[in-house]
Amino acid sequence: MSKHRTIKATVNGIAYERSVEPRLLLSDFLRQTLGLTGTHVGCEHGVCGACTVLIDGDSARACLYFAVQADGRHIETVEGLGTIDDLSPLQQEFREHHALQCGFCTPGMLMTCVDLLKKYPLASDAEIRDGLSGNLCRCTGYEHIVRAVRAAAARRGRKDDG
Amino acid sequence: MADPDVLRPKHIGARVRRVEDPRLLTGQGAFADDRIVPGALHIAFRRSDHAHALISGIDTAAAAAMPGVFAVYTAADLEGLVEPLRATSRMRNYHATPLYPLARGRVRHVGEPVVAVLAEDRYRAEDALDGIAIDYAPLAAVSDPRAALGADAPVLHEEAGTNVLAEREFSRGDIAAELAAAPIRVGGSFRFHRKAPTAIENRACIAEYDRGRRLLTLTSSTQIPGVIRDALADLLDMPGHSVRVVAADVGGGFGGKASLYPEEILVAVLARRLGRAVRWTGDRLEDLATTSHGFDEIIDAELALDRDGTMLALSAEVIGDVGAYSIYPWTAALEPVQVVSFMPGPYRVPTYRGRVRAVATNKAPTGPYRGVGRPIATFVMERLVDMAARRLSLDPAELRRRNLVRPEEFPYRVASGIVWDRSGFGECLERACAAIDYPKLRTDQGKARAAGRLCGVGIASYAELTGIGSRISAAPGMPINTGTETATIRLDSTGAVTGNFGIASHGQGLETTLAQVIADELGARLADIQILQGDSALVAHGTGTYASRSAVLAGGAAVSAARLLKERIIRAASHLLEAAVEDIDAADGRVFVSGTDRSLSFREIARAVYTEIGRLPRDAREELEVTKVYDPFFGTATAATHIAALEIDPQTCKVRLDRYVVAEDCGRVINPMIVDGQVHGAVAQGIGAALTEEIVYDEAGQLLTASLVDYVIPAASEVPPIETIHLDTESPSTLGGFRGMGEGGTIGAPAAVANALADALAPLGAEIFELPMTPERLFRLITEATAQARGD
Ligand code: FES
Ligand code: FES
């Protein structure tokens, strides 16, 4: 196969240097090379959104990126949000509103929502649903996810709550 | 003195946050493909691109020589290693079909695995697929189930001698005479197209073999670890304790992961043979082409009524397209037979005849999909009810009201043999109508219609049998027992409580709900309880999570085991506290003597029993572990009414759902938050089934919907907010009073949406006989109806 290339990428604040095949998908790099299996893949053709991560702060589909394209960039994955004992406010709202069932779409949903919460007013349910429409969930029927995002958006305005 | 409130159940019925969530929210779940095993070999499959062909030759030499390739396997290499799988049944007129992990001499559908490449990683395994040459001698393929019934149709399984893999008829009364004499008859030919369950997690599995212990462990994205353990033990001739099937976290199933698949058998066989871990990670193309499909029926049905709207007779002739194989363990009969079993629905239908044929075609096999048969039965029956209401100029709600089984008529025996226990059939209808303000909805609709808008309201009432016990098999004549579940509950030497179960949660939150049940029954603290499930090694026998059974069966087993364990804890406490058993109760992880301040924690009791030997007389040290098997025998009815209000945009034929209400009787509610979530998700699937989702094969059996761009499941912008009403009345028939509710939403939604569409189109005189009603189909329907109205 084609020659390996060395890439340097920061993932959840940790700098990694790895030699990878140019064709290696970013999703496989995260899951297999780095063992960060929180990022899921549901289609590998850019439709389901399960693999969503942040690349330099913007949401992106890890299955549509090659690992080599992450060279020199900052990647954030679900593992970089809160921890089991200290969930982030968004994760707390997901739990509070039962916004996950099997939890497979959840990491991608969360990363999309992090991006949405940063960039958009999310003033109406229609806007929230629009923002979520690139992430498929087969379990929840979305209603509880909408409520969680609504709550997170309201909470965003308040002080000392990220 | 104990506060009496403390004694009352307080976890059942509460909106308890899920214990599963923290791990799933932080990316710490343990899905099958998350299991990292160094040195594992990856399998990639070369799958059939023919719908029907003989395999005349396979050349794998080039593939075997490619970099990173460890071995290449064909069916010939597996001879003697594994028996073919056969879904047997006691049902008459049924033909089982042998299924090999790799196609043996012949392929019968596109996507069937033919050659397996094992390589050091998935990339290299997939590279090597290009190095495989397969010579096919194409056979005539049959894609249309009606054509498959023809005398000159190619027969898929010669040993069956027919494409009709199963046949069944239910009848009560003289259908011909009743139909002939009836003043009102409505009917038609209905079509419900094929669906894919489409869990967001594709199927994946990894088998590991510990040679020293002769232990085979299969980690798989499955709903049925116990069934697979038993089947693999058989196929590989191994004792059950040497085969373990683990499904820790599973990313949705909906029935698609409730069958045993060739890939699971193959990784197990090869891991054992090679003494190395072997894994397979399916992709979405493989999922849409090979995970069991659902539904897919043609139904000719007719309903006869009296002039006052009383139902007199119903007849249904069903052809179920079951695809190329009879799936294990459910058989090809499962889906189509349920259509005729449940067709009469929650109504008094004195005379009935339902006949069904399960027909093999060159497509992926169908299997269980959320609702199994009942979404189709409900679609047809509820359409007939609305057609009759229109004919009689009666309100659709009123016609249902006149025919639903009344409270005093329970238990009611359906013409197909199903028995409904007491359930709120009529109450669901009334509660749904009240919640949506049905009279106002009709007034508003009238105004919108007058303004030329295509607005419709659709009702669907149905009943389903859930928590099915041993009296009836979940699939007709199937030789495995799906009617019991086991719970083992233990208080260990540290005072912690563990509940072991044979079910396999894949989104239902059963680790939470079963802990709620145990907490209340045992008087334990929620935080002290851990539920273990999704692992065949936990109990002697268990089959998994499917068919709306887990809350009923595992919940019932939990109730009975917890009650017995509590008695033992209290007996130990009576020695330690020197009080009579009758004066002692437990709550919040403590036992206490009523009327006193004397109490002990579970932890203190555990220490006294296990460690501080001498504190209890020798014969008073009972085992603090109880195993109970629960069998609800018949099962219990779950009923609901759905009401949908929608508008069709005549320009784009896009359908916008404005309101959606579900009123359901799912028995005693363990966790209303989880029940809501199940209903929302299931309704969304039903909406998908009604409006967008369709697996399409062309006439030659080629799959045309092999990506999520072509097979369209609903996104957040297409699903309306769903309002739910729970009747919360205990089932009289189950221990704990629970009824199953995981599938119901998908049963009611296609019918409610279809009726709302038909209602919206009523001014044009159009009827809905087919689902999904895609924009394209709506466009054609509207164009034809408009042309007819103009008299063209
Ligand atoms: S896995 Fe990347 S979008 Fe589906
Ligand atoms: S929670 Fe299962 S796919 Fe979203």
Side-chain angles (χ1 to χ4, degrees), chain A residues 40-52 61-64, chain B residues 708:
Chain A
H40 297 156
V41 291
C43 70
E44 295 167 286
H45 54 249
V47 179
C48 74
C51 64
T52 306
R61 306 200 160 202
C63 76
L64 297 184
Chain B
L708 290 180

Side-chain angles (χ1 to χ4, degrees), chain A residues 21 23 25 28 31 42 44-45 78 84 91 95 98 100-102 110 129 133 138-140 142-144, chain B residues 18 25 33-34 122-124 127 197-198 202 254 284 369 507 673 677 680-681 685 693 708 714 716 719:
Chain A
E21 274 188 80
R23 64 172 174 169
L25 297 179
D28 286 336
R31 290 180 54 79
E44 295 167 286
H45 54 249
V78 69
I84 282 217
Q91 287 167 320
R95 186 174 189 207
H98 187 32
L100 64 156
Q101 291 181 25
C102 77
L110 288 168
R129 284 180 183 272
S133 63
R138 192 61 156 164
C139 297
T140 62
Y142 305 104
E143 173 63 16
H144 287 165
Chain B
R18 302 199 321 164
L25 283 165
D33 199 50
D34 294 345
R122 192 171 166 218
Y123 287 73
R124 272 152 196 79
D127 287 344
T198 332
N202 291 313
F254 318 112
R284 185 55 67 185
Y369 175 42
M673 176 184 86
H680 295 169
Q685 284 180 11
E693 295 182 34
L708 290 180
V719 182

Side-chain angles (χ1 to χ4, degrees), chain B residues 88-94 331 470 472-473 475-480:
Chain B
T88 58
S89 167
R90 291 182 300 270
M91 204 179 143
R92 271 180 297 135
N93 305 324
Y94 165 74
T331 80
S470 63
I472 0 176
S473 179
M478 185 179 64
I480 69 166

Side-chain angles (χ1 to χ4, degrees), chain B residues 393-404:
Chain B
S393 300
L394 266 177
D395 185 275
E398 179 54 28
L399 184 53
R400 286 177 173 79
R401 205 167 278 134
R402 291 182 190 179
N403 288 284
L404 285 170

Side-chain angles (χ1 to χ4, degrees), chain B residues 549-567:
Chain B
R549 69 193 293 273
S550 294
V552 179
L553 274 78
V559 167
S560 114
R563 283 180 186 169
L564 205 59
L565 179 58
K566 183 177 174 185
E567 286 173 20

Side-chain angles (χ1 to χ4, degrees), chain A:
Chain A
M1 274 304 111
S2 41
K3 274 216 211 80
H4 281 56
R5 277 185 45 187
T6 299
I7 60 163
K8 291 179 187 174
T10 307
V11 181
N12 301 327
I14 300 173
Y16 293 92
E17 185 174 329
R18 292 286 187 280
S19 163
V20 300
E21 274 188 80
R23 64 172 174 169
L24 183 72
L25 297 179
L26 178 57
S27 47
D28 286 336
F29 175 73
L30 294 169
R31 290 180 54 79
Q32 258 98 53
T33 313
L34 302 185
L36 294 170
T37 54
T39 298
H40 297 156
V41 291
C43 70
E44 295 167 286
H45 54 249
V47 179
C48 74
C51 64
T52 306
V53 297
L54 302 184
I55 303 181
D56 289 341
D58 293 323
S59 62
R61 306 200 160 202
C63 76
L64 297 184
Y65 269 79
F66 292 113
V68 290
Q69 292 174 284
D71 191 20
R73 295 180 185 274
H74 288 261
I75 314 287
E76 287 159 75
T77 71
V78 69
E79 286 94 342
L81 302 180
T83 64
I84 282 217
D85 298 313
D86 185 20
L87 297 175
S88 76
L90 177 65
Q91 287 167 320
Q92 285 169 23
E93 297 299 352
F94 263 60
R95 186 174 189 207
E96 204 56 52
H97 293 90
H98 187 32
L100 64 156
Q101 291 181 25
C102 77
F104 197 81
C105 71
T106 310
M109 282 284 178
L110 288 168
M111 299 318 284
T112 294
C113 292
V114 167
D115 196 27
L116 292 176
L117 287 163
K118 223 166 33 190
K119 295 178 181 164
Y120 300 96
L122 304 177
S124 68
D125 283 3
E127 191 190 357
I128 294 173
R129 284 180 183 272
D130 219 34
L132 293 173
S133 63
N135 287 68
L136 297 175
C137 173
R138 192 61 156 164
C139 297
T140 62
Y142 305 104
E143 173 63 16
H144 287 165
I145 300 179
V146 172
R147 289 186 204 172
V149 177
R150 201 194 289 151
R155 190 166 166 170
R156 176 183 55 176
R158 277 179 253 143
K159 281 205 194 91
D160 359 286
D161 225 351

Side-chain angles (χ1 to χ4, degrees), chain B residues 20 23 225 246-249 499-506 510-511 514 531-536 538 545:
Chain B
E20 293 89 342
R23 70 169 187 264
V246 181
D249 287 313
N500 288 356
F501 290 88
I503 47 95
S505 189
H506 45 283
L510 288 159
E511 290 171 44
L514 291 173
I531 302 300
L532 299 177
Q533 50 87 43
D535 181 344
S536 68
L538 291 168
T545 291

